[in-house]
Amino acid sequence: MTSNDIHELITGGLFPVPCHRPRLVETHISWVIICDDHVFKIKKPMHYSFLDFSTAEKRKYYCEREVMLNNRLTTDVYLGVLPVCRAHGSLTIGGPDGEEIDCALKMRRLDSSKQMDVLLKEHKVSNSQITSLAKQVAGFHRKALVVYPNDVLDIQTKFNDLANERNFVQQQLSKESSDLISAAVEMSDRFLRTNENLLRQRMRSGFVRDCHGDLHSRNIFLLEEPVIFDCIEFNDDYRCIDVLNEVAFLCMDLDVFGRSDLAELFMQTYNVAFPAMGDPREERLFTYYKSYRANVRAKVNSLRARDAANDADRRRSLNETEKYLQLMKRYLEPLR
């Protein structure tokens, strides 16, 4: 589908559920149409080195995979995959008539006021909610499939990819920020060389599992029971990771919100329910993984700044880039 098709669907299309004022939320890789009580997600036709949604067949495959993978964590949220059809001059989701041109993932709409990032901004996340969330994540990890990757050092390539942003960062921010990236890459390389045996030991011990892959506060609803959604379906390498890498993302996110106390509580509870960090070397590895997660956020915001539609958006993304670069540096300094 194209942007024009999406506009046509929203303004005059037919939906299989009540949808009085459909609203579009656009992400880098998807169009999300919000209806009264449901949400429809349509993948954009794109192809990157890490993602291939280039054909309708592939988009359908990854929609079905998204349902299957997320149903490991949710109940009655991911409701299935429906065809998007053109019939009698109109677009419709769910058919049954017409030419099938694409597909849409159908989801139950959840209360956006209960999204964890919203609640963090409003200072409404409680210790009991964090404890419940930690136990849920630990239970998921206990049952997750153990995997044995061919390259335990693939994170080195992912971390060092930030170096591709140095010139842009120097032009848009400062030479100091560019130099920070160079120093971080050197520190990361040194840390991984020193700790390669630890990474291999953790893999042999079963700590590399088929996880969620994108565990942060925007992908969590704090309802009566936490609801974790939107795991990575498009690239297994981003999801099959050390469990400490997984929880480091959420803890880094909590640090950004100024709630390191909640991050500490999360890890204490998680580590009791699923002991994954048992000695000082593993504590340092956890800190390294937090630096990696800050690294990725810095890179993503730098890329957003490149593609920004206006100066205000560009400046906002650059400010976020600088914030995460400084956080990455803060995590790495004790690991020297």
Side-chain angles (χ1 to χ4, degrees):
M1 293 185 70
T2 66
S3 296
N4 288 338
D5 292 329
I6 295 296
H7 176 73
E8 181 182 342
L9 182 59
I10 288 179
T11 55
L14 299 175
F15 295 86
V17 296
C19 197
H20 295 99
R21 292 183 179 178
R23 179 166 62 89
L24 176 66
V25 175
E26 190 168 351
T27 73
H28 193 55
I29 62 175
S30 300
W31 293 290
V32 180
I33 302 172
I34 301 175
C35 293
D36 296 15
D37 297 312
H38 295 84
V39 172
F40 295 93
K41 182 177 179 182
I42 299 172
K43 298 185 186 299
K44 294 180 178 179
M46 49 186 18
H47 188 186
Y48 294 119
S49 60
F50 58 89
L51 172 154
D52 188 358
F53 294 163
S54 58
T55 68
E57 292 76 17
K58 289 178 178 177
R59 293 192 292 278
K60 183 176 182 180
Y61 168 80
Y62 283 112
C63 278
E64 292 171 345
R65 190 153 175 78
E66 186 169 355
V67 172
M68 183 271 291
L69 289 168
N70 278 287
N71 279 341
R72 299 176 302 165
L73 281 153
T74 64
T75 302
D76 195 33
V77 174
Y78 287 78
L79 304 177
V81 180
L82 300 177
V84 179
C85 299
R86 185 176 292 280
H88 311 297
S90 296
L91 287 174
T92 177
I93 292 180
D97 300 323
E99 175 193 3
E100 184 174 339
I101 64 171
D102 219 311
C103 65
L105 178 64
K106 180 183 179 184
M107 303 171 64
R108 180 166 60 91
R109 183 179 177 182
L110 301 177
D111 183 356
S112 60
S113 70
K114 300 298 184 182
Q115 208 157 343
M116 187 176 177
D117 62 320
V118 173
L119 293 172
L120 283 166
K121 291 172 186 174
E122 297 173 349
H123 308 287
K124 292 181 179 179
V125 177
S126 68
N127 287 359
S128 62
Q129 288 173 317
I130 291 294
T131 298
S132 179
L133 176 62
K135 289 178 179 178
Q136 185 177 16
V137 173
F140 167 60
H141 284 169
R142 276 199 308 271
K143 297 176 183 177
L145 178 69
V146 176
V147 295
Y148 299 94
N150 293 325
D151 183 11
V152 296
L153 291 177
D154 69 328
I155 193 170
Q156 182 173 27
T157 301
K158 294 172 182 174
F159 192 113
N160 292 357
D161 190 53
L162 181 62
N164 293 324
E165 298 302 305
R166 279 183 301 200
N167 289 340
F168 179 74
V169 164
Q170 180 166 335
Q171 293 166 5
Q172 299 293 321
L173 289 172
S174 66
K175 184 176 184 303
E176 288 74 17
S177 296
S178 176
D179 290 344
L180 191 161
I181 293 174
S182 299
V185 167
E186 290 179 10
M187 283 190 280
S188 171
D189 287 345
R190 187 163 56 249
F191 179 87
L192 291 174
R193 283 195 303 270
T194 303
N195 290 278
E196 181 177 355
N197 287 339
L198 174 61
L199 296 179
R200 296 190 183 283
Q201 175 189 324
R202 288 184 61 80
M203 179 192 68
R204 291 192 297 268
S205 298
F207 287 115
V208 180
R209 303 198 172 204
D210 191 335
C211 297
H212 178 281
D214 202 21
L215 187 67
H216 57 78
S217 61
R218 289 197 304 277
N219 286 344
I220 300 168
F221 284 87
L222 294 179
L223 307 179
E224 185 174 346
E225 292 292 332
V227 174
I228 303 169
F229 74 107
D230 205 21
C231 80
I232 290 178
E233 87 289 351
F234 54 80
N235 190 317
D236 291 350
D237 287 344
Y238 285 39
R239 198 183 62 253
C240 295
I241 55 177
D242 191 314
V243 295
L244 284 184
N245 188 352
E246 171 111 301
V247 294
F249 197 176
L250 179 59
C251 290
M252 183 276 293
D253 204 19
L254 289 169
D255 287 345
V256 169
F257 278 102
R259 296 308 307 267
S260 298
D261 59 319
L262 295 182
E264 185 176 347
L265 174 61
F266 178 93
M267 282 308 298
Q268 288 173 349
T269 307
Y270 172 89
N271 209 39
V272 169
F274 182 53
M277 187 170 69
D279 62 39
R281 291 187 310 154
E282 290 173 326
E283 291 174 7
R284 287 167 58 83
L285 179 62
F286 174 65
T287 300
Y288 173 79
Y289 282 136
K290 288 199 290 183
S291 78
Y292 164 66
R293 293 299 185 170
N295 167 306
V296 172
R297 280 278 176 89
K299 179 179 68 177
V300 167
N301 279 287
S302 180
L303 293 172
R304 285 175 180 161
R306 289 177 184 269
D307 298 334
N310 54 63
D311 287 342
D313 287 347
R314 182 178 299 106
R315 177 47 51 189
R316 186 159 41 247
S317 294
L318 287 171
N319 288 341
E320 289 292 291
T321 301
E322 179 65 22
K323 178 177 74 177
Y324 283 106
L325 287 176
Q326 293 298 328
L327 184 60
M328 175 184 66
K329 176 184 176 184
R330 193 183 96 195
Y331 289 138
L332 284 173
E333 283 180 339
L335 304 181
R336 288 178 180 271

